[in-house]
Every structure is written in structure tokens, then in C-alpha cells.
């Protein structure tokens, strides 16, 4: 796997490069701003992008805007964004096309090397990886709509789905069988109005519907 990193904090970017190198992941380029990110992706055609949400010069949303632009220009490009704090709007924006290959992690997660690398690989493989703290704060927001019809267990399953866990991981985390997990997921899809015949990534669509319902 080859990645491009957009991060203006020199210590963090150096740490990311070191971590990824030890895991056999090549860092094709490290840039510090949004124009540099767009140029590096054009030059190197990486397998995935890691980008800070806030980049120079204003440190507002340059990173996420560049990531979203790249996703429009290169549909399905795996993007993992990093943030110092939970920003609900950006978490939702990443999932709006329902195609997967996106992740949102807090920077503290980088120090948990195994979790961070697993999240990156999951995103690169087409899945989603939402930071547990992001999901927790979203869950604490006002509910509404179809999500209110979910049982406590179904909401728990959906919360873990938002973190990017697959059925086997859900089974282990919840101490239930994979068949039980599949049944809960099926119920979630039905209650959220995601038909069986839907050809899209229904796990991503379910998470998006979840984020829509709790975003304040």
C-alpha cells in the first residue's frame, strides 16, 4: 500500500511515516497544506490518503475540503481524516456518497498503533472506520426518525458498525453468534428503509442514516 499524508504538525507526520514504514506501508509523499495534497495525489496516485481536517492557512476545513474534492475527482479513493476534536458535520460529510473507503479518527488514536493501522487497512479495503469517541458523541446527540425504532441491541450493533467492525468482530465484541449479528443487521436495514436489493454498500448507508438522525 502507498499513501500520501497531509499533516502540518512535523512531529505527527514524522511519527505517521515511521509507524507506517514499520508496517510495510509506503509513504509516497508528506505535504503540509491542501494544494500540496491535491498535487501529491495527482503525482503519486496513492492507494489511500491520510489528511488532517484542519490545514494551513486558516486551519479551518482545508483538509476535509481537499479530501472531499479528491473523492469527487477520484470516486472511491480511500481517505482517512484525522482531527484533534470530534466535529460531527465533517464525520457526516465523509459518508455522503455512501461508497465506503472513508475513515474519521481522532489524533489520539494514532498512538494506538495497531488500531490505527487496522483502521487504515479497513478504509483502503473499502470499509469505514469511525473513531469510537466520534460515535459516542454522536450517539449522545438528539435522536429522531427511523433510528428511534431500533432496539437497544440494534443501536449497539449500529454503533459498532459505524466504527467499521465486520460481523466476526461484532460477534466477539458483543459475545453473540455471527448468526445473531446478521439478524440484528438485517433488522437494522429494514427499519432504516434499506432494501435487500440495494446494490450499494448498505453498511455505509446505514451508518449515514444513523449520522443523519443524531447530527445536531
Amino acid at each position: 500500500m502507498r499513501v500520501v499524508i497531509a499533516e502540518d504538525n512535523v512531529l505527527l507526520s514524522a511519527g505517521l511515516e515511521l509507524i507506517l514504514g514499520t508496517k510495510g506501508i509506503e509513504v509516497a509523499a508528506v505535504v503540509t497544506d491542501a494544494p500540496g495534497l491535491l498535487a501529491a495525489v495527482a503525482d503519486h496516485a496513492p492507494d489511500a490518503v491520510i489528511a488532517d481536517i484542519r490545514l494551513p492557512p486558516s486551519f479551518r476545513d482545508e483538509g476535509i475540503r481537499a479530501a472531499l474534492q479528491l473523492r469527487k475527482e477520484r470516486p472511491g479513493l480511500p481517505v482517512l481524516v484525522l482531527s484533534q476534536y470530534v466535529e460531527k458535520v465533517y464525520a457526516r460529510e465523509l459518508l455522503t456518497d455512501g461508497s465506503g473507503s472513508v475513515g474519521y479518527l481522532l489524533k489520539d488514536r494514532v498512538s494506538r498503533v495497531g488500531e490505527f493501522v487496522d483502521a487504515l487497512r479497513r478504509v483502503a479495503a473499502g470499509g469505514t472506520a469511525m473513531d469510537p469517541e466520534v460515535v459516542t458523541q454522536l450517539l449522545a446527540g438528539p435522536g429522531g426518525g427511523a433510528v428511534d425504532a431500533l432496539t437497544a441491541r440494534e443501536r449497539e450493533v449500529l454503533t459498532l458498525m459505524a466504527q467499521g467492525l465486520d460481523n466476526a468482530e461484532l460477534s466477539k465484541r458483543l459475545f453473540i453468534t455471527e448468526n445473531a449479528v446478521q439478524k440484528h443487521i438485517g433488522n437494522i436495514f429494514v427499519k432504516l428503509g434499506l432494501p435487500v436489493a440495494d446494490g450499494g454498500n448498505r453498511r455505509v448507508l446505514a451508518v449515514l442514516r444513523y449520522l443523519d438522525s443524531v447530527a445536531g
Side-chain angles (χ1 to χ4, degrees):
M1 187 194 310
R2 298 171 68 249
V3 303
V4 165
I5 298 172
E7 172 56 62
D8 66 291
N9 183 307
V10 176
L11 290 178
L12 180 55
S13 63
L16 287 170
E17 193 168 8
L18 178 61
I19 288 170
L20 297 177
T22 64
K23 299 298 180 180
I25 299 173
E26 178 187 349
V27 176
V30 177
V31 298
T32 59
D33 56 24
L37 173 58
L38 299 177
V41 170
D43 290 342
H44 299 284
D47 300 305
V49 168
I50 301 172
D52 190 345
I53 281 181
R54 297 171 181 256
L55 291 173
S58 73
F59 295 97
R60 290 183 180 177
D61 59 0
E62 287 90 340
I64 187 66
R65 294 300 167 202
L68 293 172
Q69 180 179 335
L70 287 170
R71 294 272 293 180
K72 288 181 180 179
E73 296 173 352
R74 302 165 183 263
L77 175 68
V79 171
L80 175 61
V81 300
L82 303 177
S83 179
Q84 191 70 39
Y85 310 102
V86 176
E87 301 182 72
K88 299 179 187 179
V89 174
Y90 298 143
R92 181 186 177 282
E93 282 192 78
L94 279 175
L95 295 169
T96 52
D97 63 7
S99 63
S101 295
V102 293
Y104 183 119
L105 296 182
L106 296 182
K107 290 185 176 181
D108 288 347
R109 195 69 47 186
V110 175
S111 63
R112 304 177 187 181
V113 175
E115 291 182 28
F116 171 70
V117 174
D118 285 348
L120 175 60
R121 293 190 186 280
R122 187 181 300 130
V123 168
T128 59
M130 302 295 289
D131 195 285
E133 183 60 27
V134 174
V135 178
T136 297
Q137 291 201 28
L138 288 170
L139 186 60
V147 172
D148 284 342
L150 301 180
T151 66
R153 176 62 91 182
E154 288 164 356
R155 287 176 67 90
E156 190 174 15
V157 169
L158 183 54
T159 298
L160 294 175
M161 283 171 59
Q163 295 176 28
L165 275 64
D166 60 24
N167 287 10
E169 292 169 323
L170 283 166
S171 174
K172 292 178 182 178
R173 183 74 63 88
L174 299 174
F175 301 101
I176 58 178
T177 67
E178 287 193 45
N179 284 339
V181 168
Q182 188 59 50
K183 181 178 179 180
H184 287 309
I185 292 175
N187 289 338
I188 290 169
F189 288 157
V190 170
K191 291 179 181 180
L192 297 184
L194 302 173
V196 175
D198 194 323
N201 187 332
R202 291 197 298 156
R203 293 176 77 95
V204 176
L205 293 173
V207 172
L208 177 57
R209 195 71 56 86
Y210 167 61
L211 293 176
D212 275 337
S213 73
V214 298

